[in-house]
Amino acid sequence: MVSIEYYIGLSAILFIIGTMGVLTRRNAIIIFMSIELMLNAANLLFVAFARMFEALGGQIFVFFVMTVAAAEVAVGLALIVAVFRTKQTINIDEASTLKG
Amino acid sequence: MSGYTIEDLVNILPIVFVVVWALALLMVEAFTKRRGLTLVLAAVGLLAALFLTVSQFGVETTAFKNMLTVDGYSLFMYVLVLGSGLFSIALAYDYNKRMGWERGEYYVLMLFSIAGAMLMASAANLIVVFLALELLSIPLYILAAFVPNDAASEEAGLKYFLLGAFAGGFVLYGVALIYGATGATDLMAIVSAASTTESPLLLLIGAALILIGLGFKVAVVPFHMWTPDVYQGAPTPVTAYMAVVAKAGGFAALLRVFIAAFPSVSQDLVPVLSALVILTLVIGNLAALAQKNIKRMFAYSSISHAGFIMMAFVTYGQADLYADAVTSVLFYLLAFAVTSFGSWAVVVALEQAEGKGLNLEDYAGLGKKHPALALSMLVFLLSFAGVPPTLGFGGKFFLFRTVLEGGYVGLAIVGVLASLVSAYYYLRVVIYMYFHDGDPEVRSEPVLNFVTAVTAVGTLFLFFMSGPILKWAAESILALI
Amino acid sequence: MDANLTVFIILAVVAIGSAIGMLLNRNAVYSALFLILNFATVAVFYIILGAPFIAMTHVTVYAGAIMVLFLFVIMLLGAEELTGGTTKFDWQKPAAVVLALFLLAELYVVIFFRDTVFAEFRALADFGTPQNVGRVLFNDYLLPFEITAFLLLAAMIGAIVIARRVRRKPGN
Amino acid sequence: MDFILEPLNLVTFFPLVGVLVLLFLKKDQKDAARWTALVASLVTFAISLWVLSQFKASETGLQMEVNATWFTFGAWEIKYALGVDGLSILLLLLTTFLTPISILSTWTAVEDRVRDFMLFFLLLEVGMVGVFLAQDLFLFYVFWEFTLVPMYFLIGIWGGAERMYAAIKFFLYTMAGSILMLLAILWLGNNQGTFYVPALIEQGGIPENLQTWLFFAFAAAFAIKVPMWPLHSWLPDAHVQAPTAGSVILAGVLLKMGTYGFLRFNIPLFPEAAKEWAWLMALLAVIGILYGAAVSYWQKDVKKLVAYSSVSHLGFVMLGLFALNPQGIEGAILQMVNHGLSTGALFLLIGVIYERRHTREFSEFGGLWKVMPVYAVVTLIVSLSSMGLPGLNGFVGEFTILLGAWGAGQEGLLGNNGVLYAGFAAAGVILAAVYILYMFGTMFLGPLTNEKNENLKDLNWREVVTLVPLLVLIFWIGLYPKPFFDLMAPTVEHLVATLGM
Amino acid sequence: MLLSETTTTGFLELVPWIVFFPVIGLLLNIIFGRRWGELGVAITAVSASALSLVVSVLQFITLQGAHGEAMVYKLAEWLHIGSFSIPWEFRVDTLSVTMMLVVSGVGTLIHLYAVGYMHYDVRYKGDPKSYARFFIYLNLFIAMMMILVSGNSYLMLFVGWEGVGLCSFLLIGFWFTKNPDATEGTQNSYAAKKAFIANRVGDFGFLMAMFLTFWHFGTLSFSELFPEVAHYEGPESLVWWIAGFMLLGVTGKSAQIPLYVWLPDAMAGPTPVSALIHAATMVTAGVYLVARSAPVFSAVEGVHVMVALVGAATALFAATIAVGQYDIKKVLAYSTVSQLGFMVAAVGMGAYVAGMFHLVTHAFFKALLFLGSGSVILAVERGHHPLVETGDADASHGHDDHGHDDHHGEVFDPQDMRNMGGLRKKIPWTFWTYMAGTLALAGIFPFAGFWSKDEILLDASHFEGAMAVYWLLVIAAAFTAFYMGRQVWMVFFGEPRHHAAEEAKESPWTVLLPLVVLAILSTLGGFMNWPFESGLEPHRFGHWLEYTLKVSLGHELHIPEFSFSVAIQSTLIAVAAIFISWLVYGRKPLKSGQTDPLAKALGPIFKGMNAKWWVDELYQAVILTPYEKLAKFLSQTIDWSFWHDWFHEKGIRDNFQRLANFLANPIDMGVIDKISYLLAQGAQGSAGWLSKLQTGFVRNYALAVFTGVVVILGYLVLFR
């Protein structure tokens, strides 16, 4: 079996990529996907640790994270759609009227 | 379903009630055409929940296999949150009609997020903390974007959502690291494991990430940037609600989690916390100075208040002190809640459709035209600025006291200077109200006036009642230490 | 070299690659597809890590539901390519990259170069099977489960509220 | 009920009755508002006289004390404690005495939003009386800060052209000072475990170096209020912009809160620091005396001149306080009263001419004695009292202060050749004559040049009524100050004894 | 030594009334003055002053009964602070009673004189209403002067001391809308201020002296103080300081160098004031102070020399100036300064008797001279305004019509001796009384001035401290005789040089009566201190004062034997001086418009005399202007421009707001973006994006959050 450090390292990379997505992309949907990627990185971590501790707590946590993610997606996409209705774009930079 | 009894439900009756009531409201909303009924029912429900909470005073127990703790601390928070819920419903009462988006879901969602806040106050497990956080936030995302076809509102919602989710990712990763370091998500288990863990740094990083995530919720610099925009874009009653409940929930979780689970890392975190406090106080206050829009101004001021509360939080690790710290934070939150709702009520009274009536100029001449309203606004502003004899002063006083007890004289000095700066921009509003001539349009609505009056009187009166409140707050320390 | 390691490396490369693909691709649809691929690989890791149940849910929920939803929305809005709003912050990207690398470095320092000790994996029988997971879930984690229920409900209501706009009526 | 009827509770909070009545008045019921305020303040004055009748001059401790636990927090007990003693009785009377006079002086001067004006004025009185009576640091701070608010409005709403600027400046400067004091108060509460002033003095035992810090933390608040040179910059603005009544109260009472603070807290609480730093305080005081006098001499605006003269006069008070001997301190207390009377009267008089001519520029006046003889004579008397002419109140205070300062200097409290302080301060007496005579001369003597002044009305009955009480006291204190000294002597001597001087 | 308990007190209880009567008088006049009209006012005021004279006489009698033993009457406790206690006590001893008599006596006469004089003066000045005001001030002055002389402690003395200063201020500025030449202007009020402030400088010295005294001897009361001082064994420096400061006070009040400058200007006041305050009484307070403080001045050798020299120098200096004046009252003013110099020199030398003696005689003849000059001026004024005689009511009116238009076109100054001449025949009464005063002042036998001045010179000749004193005084005496001669020749002899002088009319009896009385006094007053063993009782005055002095000094004071050499010497000098003045002015009198012959003779020196040796200009340049500059600099530059505007406004407020604006808009982006901006520079070396900084972008916000994360974690990882 591969030792756990590898998994942690991998999840770290994925997490970073996710953050990069959030920080660099202007497409709201892609930003959102990147966030999902971050969550996944965390999940990977949980599962790995669960395996390490041989306790199911971690896996359960992942389960809940998924549901949360689902909920967020529902809301998030709804919002994006709504914004698109008014602005005709999902370019997040367009949503910058509130400032100061 | 083994190992659970009805006791578990009874112990968290207020929460259960709120949630069930929310479901009921959903049905009512679905099957009646009568507008405003949901609102009244929601208010009734909150009152009932409040009553239940009061009936629970003195209870100290856990529920659902240590997932939740019910103690004085959580009960205090329940009261605070439920009360805030009532106030924000009162603010919404005419506002939503006036603005034309009266919809029952509004109140249902609010009830859900109230339940979330209450859960945060008594969460004893990081899973619950995480879920409660989401339950608190997701309705808020929607409420912020509640105004139909309103670009600003939707933008606010989207911003809040994306950033919230982003921050949530960090929280989650932090929890994961902590789980990795201790193999547990239960606070008690964590604190016992923390002493023996072989990877303390992992724990520390995890704690830091949680701190950041919750710091985002309570709007601590540099995680505060969403605040002004969202506060401005969201419907004012929602803003008021966010300003108080999101903060209360966030701090409730912060205090419980860190005091219960991470006393070991407190020393390492002190510099970080101090830095956050100073940044928050400086930037929050100074930024407020240049605001023309009153909602943004209050947004920044609420940021600075978060900074003040954080000041007490710095000392959380000192075993002999955390009690005082908690007490002063609770008192401050109460003061902030009362004052803040009062001021928002005034804002609502002056707000016109399409976000008009929200600039400082619109307050010109208020003192002449509506002395009562202006006077109460004055009281709120003074309380924000921490001028006696107001609740705000009491809050700051006890806060600084705790900080000094902890030996952080530097922080205290920054704090007092910050409150001095804050006086400056609060005074600007006063100047507009009293020293400028103008003809402000004011909605005089019974409920609104009632809220204003109650909060204004409360802001003054409760200061003189500091004794009982402090006593109550002091009894409301966390049971599980 | 060790077969496990080889497998891991291959999978890791795929995961990271797909993630980067998602990150860089101009077309939202492709990004989504890359992400699905990534999720799939992650699911494989789950299985390796002895979490078949989670793996299954993962595939169904994420790849199955969530990503489909994404694709659906993208198609619906016809937003494969981004329109309008040329970027105003040329420095945002590099700054982000630098910071991200910093964070990665930090995490790696924590994981590999500081007193962070992890136990070794031991071979386990039927760990994380649906039965076990379910048992634990409904024994110890009943409350969170309930909460998620309400969470989803709230989200659903919210989505409906946002989606089903009423025309604005002028205030009374 | 008995609790409410405690004399000190009554004298502190009775004006609130007036406030309540005012709240029920209509905006346009101007006279009703005026009379309400006047009556309320007069009753308050009567109550304070009752307090005086109850007061036993021979006792050194607090009297008629009201002492109840307000609330407890952690280890602390915060008290609601009022008390009066030789240090505060005179200032209490001064406050209750000046308030009705100021109210009367606004009878015709304030026409705009009379009700609100009176409302703030009565609130202000509550705060001021509270400051002089509070015996618990927390309570004191509450009153102390509270006084800011009504004064802020008095300046900001009814003030002159630059009123907003002046109001904000006033508010922020004084608040800036008091906030440092707040920290010191908190520190005391933590380390000494109580806010109750007598208890704090009783236990003492604050290490020397800390005393210094706390001393200056408190001093920051008080020195700005006094105002001591060089922290006086807010004063001219506030005075020039404030309405007459505001100036009267500001000069008459609010500034005294600063000097009183030094006397009540700095000196007894931190005796070591007080002794160690007396020289610095004396130095600043003396600089203030000369500086204020010199600067007054060049003012073009009467009110500004008087404002700067306050810097000079309060310099005397500070010098007396930090002589730390009976002569100095008693002189200082009396001088607080004197300054309240003289400068208060001066501001009233300036208000009189301002009401008639709506200017305060020296260049506009000259030879007024010809047209307004009564006004001129009254002004002359008041000016003379403020420049310390024997037989009038000012002299008694200044002389005793200088005497005390000289003694302190001789006994080496102010470092070697400390007598110089008194010496230079006495030189200030000369300069006082210079600017006072400059003021009086340019306004009243010489030929009547400006035809605008040719048919000015002399004082009317109301103005006379407002001024006569002040004049009576000016002469009384000047000719027979004994009763006033007797009120404070035992307390002060006890205080000095505890200082171990 | 409160002997009052032991000895019979006689009328002692009445002593407060020397103060109360005048006070009552002035109160009455304040209240009823306007209603009563001139007569009522006059009666009230004069009787008030007269009554206090009566009381003074009663005190004199009491004192006789007590054989000159000092007595103290305690009225009330005034101040009592810690160890410091000042009762309100009246001291009745030979010294104070002498002063009381002089003050109330001369005072009453001058009140009487003023009744008539002011009647006209107020009309010439066009303000009849101020008649009452004048007498109110005058009574106030009597009261204050009485406090001064009767107080039993330095503090009480100081009260009177400043009080009389106030009165002098009020009376100098009595015509506050005018100039001395009666034109509209501010000079009078300026002179008043000058007097007050100069006195204040002296008072400062007095205060210092009091502080020193109190903190070394623990008391300010004479009765307790002097015994201690008498046998004082402390460091000499202390006494030097006390005496020095006291001397400063003296120079202020008694117009000695360097503070004498106010007195000549004080002549702006109405003439009775000049006579009463600025010749007879107030200005002698300094002399009284020194005599009163004899123990202090005698405690250490050498102090005497300091005081004596100041006095003598003043005597000569002022005398020279007097020579160069044209204004009749200015001459007398400088003569007063000079004579005060004599007295100060005398008491300074320790010749207290001589000093006080000269004080009394001087009070007589200088008052006489001033009143006489007043009568002259009055006469000339009346000559200048004939229609005044038609009645009082329209007098001011007529005055307004004609103003001061003069036949020669220039402003007419009724006090300028060049406008007079030949008045001898017009106003005989005035002339003869004036002569008496002149001879007395010149020190011609047997007039009062002769005896007193002679005694001073006698003591000076014995004074071992410094012989300079003697010679200074002698020369001063010569000058005195000369300028008086000059004045008499110019005013009374020769031909009238102005129509006003021709039409001059004699003054009313109220004016003349005091002149006569004073003339008699200044003629015979000298005999009160008859120096010879034979004839009258010798040294009556000396022994009288001795009661007090020996007690306070603690030893007998020796009274030098009369020396004919000195007497004859001084007389000869005086006569010679007068003769010279006759040569210059008497032989061929001045024609109108002709310049002073002396001016030709002396040239620049005379110019100097005339210009008062430019001392005023000097003070202006050295003290006043610099102070004004300083005040201007402090107030405008330091306090306002720098401290108020620059430091507080620019320094604190503006920067504060600037910071606020910068941080607020765009803080959110501003600061935090700058960090990332710098990082970005590290990554891509290109610049200039800052301009593109915008707000409201989710990505920026996220970046901010992320930055926070990285920094915090970085800190923890690196430093923990």
Side-chain angles (χ1 to χ4, degrees), chain C residues 20-50:
Chain C
I20 294 176
M22 188 267 322
L23 174 65
L24 296 181
N25 205 309
R26 293 260 138 262
N27 187 318
V29 178
Y30 295 152
S31 299
L33 295 176
F34 272 118
L35 192 57
I36 294 173
L37 173 57
N38 172 283
F39 285 165
T41 33
V42 172
V44 179
F45 280 121
Y46 289 168
I47 296 172
I48 296 173
L49 287 169

Side-chain angles (χ1 to χ4, degrees), chain D residues 165 169 172-173 229-234 236-237 290-291 293-300 304 308 325-328 330-331 367 369-370 373 380 384 387-391 395-396 398-400 402-404 406-408 410-411 422-424 426-427 429-434 437-438 440-442 444-448 477-482 485-486 489 493, chain E residues 34 76-84 86 88 126-127 130 133 137 144 155 158-163 165-166 169-170 173 175-178 184-186 189-190 192-194 196-197 200-202 204-205 207-216 220 238 245 624 627-636 638-640 643-645 647-649 652-653 656:
Chain D
Y165 161 69
K169 196 170 180 180
L172 289 182
Y173 276 59
W229 183 91
L231 303 172
H232 61 279
S233 183
W234 62 271
D237 292 309
L290 300 174
Y291 184 90
V295 171
S296 315
Y297 178 54
W298 203 258
Q299 297 309 319
K300 301 274 164 285
K304 239 181 191 169
Y308 276 110
N325 53 17
Q327 290 87 351
E330 289 185 34
W369 195 323
K370 270 254 174 293
L380 177 65
L384 292 172
M387 77 184 230
L389 185 88
F395 171 72
V396 184
E398 283 180 7
F399 180 80
T400 42
L402 290 172
L403 195 69
W406 186 283
Q410 207 163 50
E411 282 141 22
F424 280 102
V429 176
I430 305 176
L431 302 187
V434 175
L437 291 179
Y438 161 73
F440 187 79
T442 31
F444 294 93
L445 305 182
L448 182 63
I477 299 181
L479 295 173
Y480 192 56
K482 188 166 180 299
F485 281 120
D486 290 348
E493 272 147 30
Chain E
R34 289 183 175 282
E77 188 76 7
W78 192 43
L79 282 179
H80 182 86
I81 306 172
S83 58
F84 173 68
I86 291 293
W88 189 296
D127 183 10
S130 44
R133 185 158 62 92
Y137 292 167
M144 286 302 174
L155 195 60
F158 187 71
V159 173
W161 184 269
E162 284 244 353
L166 167 66
F169 165 78
L170 291 169
W175 300 119
F176 53 81
T177 66
K178 299 215 178 338
E184 291 285 305
T186 57
S189 52
Y190 177 77
K193 281 187 268 175
K194 186 176 178 182
F196 205 133
I197 290 167
R200 269 265 160 159
V201 177
F204 162 75
L207 275 174
M208 294 286 107
M210 277 199 278
F211 297 148
L212 279 166
T213 318
F214 176 78
W215 286 106
H216 285 95
L220 289 177
L238 172 66
F245 277 127
L624 301 179
Y627 177 65
E628 288 189 344
K629 286 222 167 61
L630 175 70
K632 183 178 179 192
F633 174 71
L634 280 181
S635 66
Q636 287 183 349
I638 296 293
D639 194 75
W640 209 251
W643 192 243
H644 180 278
D645 288 346
F647 187 79
H648 284 81
E649 300 311 302
I652 296 178
R653 199 185 88 225
F656 182 62

Side-chain angles (χ1 to χ4, degrees), chain B residues 45-171:
Chain B
L46 287 179
L47 271 174
L50 206 52
F51 175 76
L52 290 174
T53 313
V54 175
S55 70
Q56 274 198 320
F57 276 3
V59 175
E60 275 188 10
T61 174
T62 66
F64 290 93
K65 307 216 169 147
N66 296 334
M67 285 291 168
L68 291 179
T69 317
V70 179
D71 54 11
Y73 176 80
S74 51
L75 287 173
F76 188 104
M77 283 296 178
Y78 291 179
V79 174
L80 197 64
V81 172
L82 291 167
S84 313
L86 274 170
F87 275 127
S88 35
I89 286 178
L91 292 193
Y93 177 72
D94 291 288
Y95 184 87
N96 288 6
K97 279 207 218 79
R98 188 201 318 166
M99 299 293 171
W101 60 73
E102 174 71 340
R103 299 188 58 179
E105 294 88 350
Y106 182 96
Y107 308 101
V108 179
L109 289 169
M110 189 170 276
L111 287 188
F112 276 124
S113 82
I114 287 175
M118 292 165 84
L119 282 168
M120 285 188 89
S122 41
N125 187 315
L126 289 179
I127 289 185
V128 182
V129 172
F130 180 70
L131 294 175
L133 186 63
E134 293 295 334
L135 185 58
L136 167 68
S137 309
I138 287 182
L140 280 180
Y141 301 147
I142 299 155
L143 288 174
F146 200 81
V147 186
N149 317 337
D150 176 90
S153 173
E154 281 161 357
E155 178 182 335
L158 185 56
K159 272 182 180 169
Y160 191 21
F161 167 73
L162 285 177
L163 291 166
F166 186 57
F170 287 106
V171 179

Side-chain angles (χ1 to χ4, degrees), chain E residues 196-425:
Chain E
F196 205 133
I197 290 167
N199 272 300
R200 269 265 160 159
V201 177
D203 303 342
F204 162 75
F206 199 152
L207 275 174
M208 294 286 107
M210 277 199 278
F211 297 148
L212 279 166
T213 318
F214 176 78
W215 286 106
H216 285 95
F217 300 103
T219 175
L220 289 177
S221 147
F222 300 142
S223 334
E224 301 162 12
L225 175 64
F226 292 151
E228 295 194 32
V229 182
H231 31 76
Y232 163 79
E233 263 89 20
E236 294 197 349
S237 63
L238 172 66
V239 181
W240 272 101
W241 281 109
I242 296 180
F245 277 127
M246 232 176 243
L247 181 60
L248 181 59
V250 173
T251 55
K253 192 61 73 186
S254 289
Q256 299 297 294
I257 294 173
L259 294 178
Y260 70 92
V261 287
W262 64 272
L263 184 53
D265 295 17
M267 295 306 136
T271 304
V273 174
S274 315
L276 177 57
I277 301 185
H278 304 123
T281 53
M282 180 187 98
V283 287
T284 58
V287 183
Y288 169 74
L289 175 62
V290 180
R292 177 53 83 192
S293 324
V296 179
F297 285 88
S298 316
V300 175
E301 275 314 314
V303 176
H304 282 317
V305 184
M306 169 173 69
V307 184
L309 279 175
V310 170
T314 314
L316 179 56
F317 187 74
T320 59
I321 298 177
V323 174
Q325 301 305 315
Y326 291 117
D327 183 317
I328 181 168
K329 284 176 70 179
K330 278 276 163 61
V331 176
L332 294 176
Y334 281 101
S335 135
T336 310
V337 177
S338 159
Q339 293 301 310
L340 289 167
F342 274 86
M343 302 175 211
V344 172
V347 289
M349 287 183 296
Y352 302 105
V353 176
M356 292 304 296
F357 185 26
H358 194 61
L359 185 154
V360 177
T361 54
H362 176 264
F364 296 153
F365 58 71
K366 186 53 65 71
L368 171 58
L369 286 172
F370 267 111
L371 297 185
S373 69
S375 168
V376 171
I377 296 164
L378 190 58
V380 178
E381 274 274 11
R382 291 166 78 195
H384 185 234
H385 302 287
L387 51 83
V388 173
E389 297 313 309
T390 61
D392 305 339
D394 54 353
S396 56
H397 173 257
H399 160 72
D400 289 347
D401 291 347
H402 289 247
H404 283 83
D405 61 335
D406 185 67
H407 304 187
H408 303 66
E410 90 273 2
V411 174
F412 173 73
D413 180 354
Q415 306 193 2
D416 192 331
M417 299 194 288
R418 284 169 298 191
N419 295 335
M420 302 174 182
L423 291 174
R424 174 169 87 265
K425 309 184 191 57

Side-chain angles (χ1 to χ4, degrees), chain B residues 348-366:
Chain B
V348 169
L350 270 82
E351 182 173 357
Q352 311 295 322
E354 282 90 27
K356 300 222 173 20
L358 286 176
N359 286 340
L360 291 183
E361 292 78 20
D362 301 318
Y363 284 70
L366 197 65

Side-chain angles (χ1 to χ4, degrees), chain B residues 225 229 268 271 286 300 424, chain E residues 657 663-664 668 696 701 715 720:
Chain B
M225 295 192 155
D229 295 6
D268 298 340
L286 291 179
Y300 281 109
Y424 190 76
Chain E
Q657 284 175 340
L663 285 170
D668 291 12
Y701 298 0
Y715 166 81
R720 284 283 166 272

Side-chain angles (χ1 to χ4, degrees), chain E residues 583-607:
Chain E
L583 288 177
V584 181
Y585 296 93
R587 202 149 40 90
K588 38 177 171 36
L590 248 58
K591 301 278 162 295
S592 66
Q594 173 195 5
T595 52
D596 191 309
L598 206 59
K600 290 201 248 19
L602 298 178
I605 302 175
F606 184 84
K607 190 183 250 57

